[in-house]
C-alpha cells in the first residue's frame, strides 16, 4: 500500500473560488486514500457546505484536510474553523431547515449525514469549529 | 467560467463545462432568463453532466432558474445529474421540487418535445430537429 501523507493540508477560505478549490482538493485526497467515487462526491459536498458557512457567517476561515488512521481503518478528516460570530444555539443550527441567513438551513445537518463522524464547537464572539470524518469502507 | 448556451429551434441548451462558482451560477440564471425572451424559446435544457458537486446553493439556484424560466413561459429540464451527485443531494436533504429532470441530453430533449407538443398540439414549431441533435451529441461522446 502506498505511503500516504498525514501532514494536514490547510486551505484558506475567503472567497467563492476557495470553496471550489477546497472541495476539489478534498475529493482528490479522498480518491488517493482509496474512497470509492460516490464517497468522494459525498466528501466534496460536505466540504462545500462547511466552507460556504465560513464565508457566509465569518467571511474568512480555513478548511484543514487530514488523512487519519485508527485501528487499521483509514479516513479523511475535515476541520472547518473560523473566528466569526459563533453559533448561539447549536441544537437549532443542527436542525434541518433552520437558518439565520437566507440559506436553506441544510449545511450543518446535511454535512452530518454525508459524513461518518461529526462534531461542532462554537462560542459566541469567538468562532466555530466543525470536525468531521469519513472512513474508507 | 461562463456556461455556453446554444439555440436549437425552440430550445436553449446550456451545457455546464466545469465547476461553477456562485457568481457563475448567478450569471447563468440571468443569461437564461434573458435569452428565453430574445429567442422566444419554449424550453431549456440545463446539462450538468460535468458537475461533480451540487451543494445546497447550486441546487437552490437550479430550482430558481427552473421556476423563473417557467414564469417566462418556457419549461426547463435538468439533465445529467451524476450518480454520486444524486446520492449526495439526497443525503444533504435537497429536493428539486417542481423541477423536471432527465437522465441525459437525449431524454431531456425528448421530454421537452413532448411538453411543447402537448402544450400546443397545433403548433407549427418544428421539433423534429431536437431528437436528431441528441443523436449527434450522443455519438460525440
Amino acid at each position: 500500500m502506498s505511503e500516504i501523507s498525514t501532514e494536514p493540508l490547510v486551505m484558506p477560505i475567503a472567497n467563492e473560488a476557495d470553496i471550489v478549490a477546497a472541495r476539489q482538493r478534498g475529493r482528490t485526497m479522498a480518491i488517493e486514500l482509496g474512497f470509492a467515487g460516490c464517497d468522494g462526491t459525498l466528501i466534496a459536498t460536505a466540504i462545500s457546505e462547511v466552507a460556504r458557512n465560513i464565508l457566509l457567517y465569518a467571511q474568512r476561515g480555513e478548511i484543514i484536510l487530514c488523512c487519519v488512521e485508527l485501528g487499521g481503518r483509514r479516513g479523511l478528516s475535515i476541520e472547518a474553523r473560523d473566528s466569526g460570530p459563533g453559533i448561539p444555539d447549536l441544537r437549532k443550527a443542527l436542525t434541518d431547515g433552520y437558518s439565520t441567513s437566507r440559506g436553506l438551513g441544510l449545511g450543518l445537518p446535511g454535512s452530518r449525514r454525508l459524513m461518518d463522524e461529526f462534531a461542532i464547537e462554537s462560542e459566541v464572539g469567538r468562532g466555530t469549529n466543525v470536525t468531521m470524518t469519513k472512513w474508507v469502507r | 467560467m461562463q456556461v455556453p448556451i446554444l439555440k436549437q429551434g425552440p430550445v436553449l441548451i446550456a451545457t455546464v463545462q466545469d465547476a461553477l462558482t456562485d457568481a457563475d451560477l448567478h450569471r447563468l440564471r440571468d443569461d437564461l432568463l434573458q435569452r428565453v425572451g430574445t429567442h422566444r424559446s419554449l424550453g431549456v435544457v440545463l446539462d450538468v453532466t460535468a458537475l461533480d458537486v451540487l451543494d445546497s446553493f447550486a441546487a437552490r439556484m437550479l430550482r430558481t432558474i427552473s421556476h423563473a424560466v417557467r414564469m417566462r413561459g418556457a419549461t426547463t429540464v435538468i439533465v445529467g445529474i451524476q450518480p454520486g451527485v444524486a446520492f449526495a443531494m439526497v443525503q444533504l436533504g435537497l429536493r428539486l421540487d417542481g423541477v423536471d429532470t432527465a437522465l441525459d441530453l437525449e431524454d431531456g430533449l425528448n421530454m421537452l418535445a413532448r411538453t411543447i407538443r402537448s402544450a400546443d398540439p397545433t403548433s407549427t414549431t418544428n421539433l423534429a430537429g431536437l431528437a436528431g441533435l441528441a443523436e449527434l451529441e450522443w455519438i460525440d461522446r
Side-chain angles (χ1 to χ4, degrees):
Chain A
M1 201 165 280
S2 63
E3 198 62 36
I4 288 167
S5 162
T6 51
E7 195 69 24
L9 179 71
V10 181
M11 310 221 36
I13 302 293
N15 58 53
E16 290 174 15
D18 293 338
I19 300 180
V20 177
R23 73 185 183 213
Q24 284 176 341
R25 194 72 191 86
R27 175 194 294 275
T28 310
M29 277 178 85
I31 290 165
E32 282 168 5
L33 265 167
F35 280 100
C38 265
D39 279 347
T41 304
L42 301 190
I43 290 167
T45 308
I47 293 174
S48 197
E49 294 297 327
V50 293
R52 182 175 297 289
N53 276 353
I54 290 177
L55 205 57
L56 203 57
Y57 294 100
Q59 282 75 56
R60 60 182 57 247
E62 52 198 21
I63 298 276
I64 301 152
L65 304 169
C66 189
C67 303
V68 287
E69 259 194 274
L70 186 71
R73 286 198 305 173
R74 271 183 174 175
L76 181 62
S77 140
I78 298 146
E79 191 182 342
R81 62 181 182 207
D82 66 64
S83 309
I87 304 170
D89 191 336
L90 277 180
R91 198 177 48 84
K92 268 192 188 167
L94 289 168
T95 307
D96 272 331
Y98 178 80
S99 176
T100 56
S101 68
R102 290 183 305 151
L104 293 173
L106 292 174
L108 289 178
S111 300
R112 180 151 76 167
R113 285 191 291 269
L114 289 168
M115 304 293 286
D116 294 327
E117 288 167 26
F118 182 97
I120 182 165
E121 288 168 32
S122 187
E123 200 179 327
V124 173
R126 297 294 295 275
T128 301
N129 201 329
V130 176
T131 314
M132 46 193 196
T133 307
K134 198 163 188 75
W135 299 101
V136 178
R137 279 176 299 199
Chain B
M1 141 161 232
Q2 192 166 3
V3 177
I5 301 172
L6 306 172
K7 176 184 176 294
Q8 172 68 16
V11 171
L12 297 178
I13 303 170
T15 309
V16 177
Q17 314 270 336
D18 203 353
L20 297 178
T21 64
D22 300 355
D24 296 332
L25 280 162
H26 279 120
R27 182 153 69 169
L28 174 62
R29 176 197 62 193
D30 297 347
D31 284 353
L32 278 175
L33 288 174
Q34 191 62 48
R35 300 251 194 123
V36 161
T38 313
H39 302 296
R40 310 192 71 76
S41 304
L42 298 173
V44 171
V45 178
L46 186 45
D47 188 348
V48 297
T49 306
L51 280 189
D52 59 5
V53 170
L54 260 167
D55 68 4
S56 58
F57 178 85
R60 182 172 55 159
M61 189 54 94
L62 294 187
R63 202 170 58 185
T64 301
I65 289 173
S66 171
H67 291 177
V69 163
R70 188 171 300 147
M71 304 264 180
R72 301 271 283 153
T75 306
T76 302
V77 182
I78 312 277
V79 306
I81 295 180
Q82 295 302 296
V85 175
F87 182 41
M89 287 173 76
V90 172
Q91 289 286 90
L92 203 53
L94 291 169
R95 296 182 312 189
L96 288 176
D97 286 334
V99 176
D100 290 326
T101 56
L103 183 65
D104 54 22
L105 183 62
E106 186 176 21
D107 279 6
L109 287 170
N110 286 333
M111 186 187 263
L112 276 182
R114 281 196 303 274
T115 308
I116 293 169
R117 183 77 73 208
S118 67
D120 183 5
T122 60
S123 166
T124 52
T125 306
N126 180 16
L127 299 171
L130 293 184
L133 183 80
E135 251 161 57
L136 286 178
E137 294 281 331
W138 187 251
I139 290 163
D140 229 24
R141 285 188 205 168

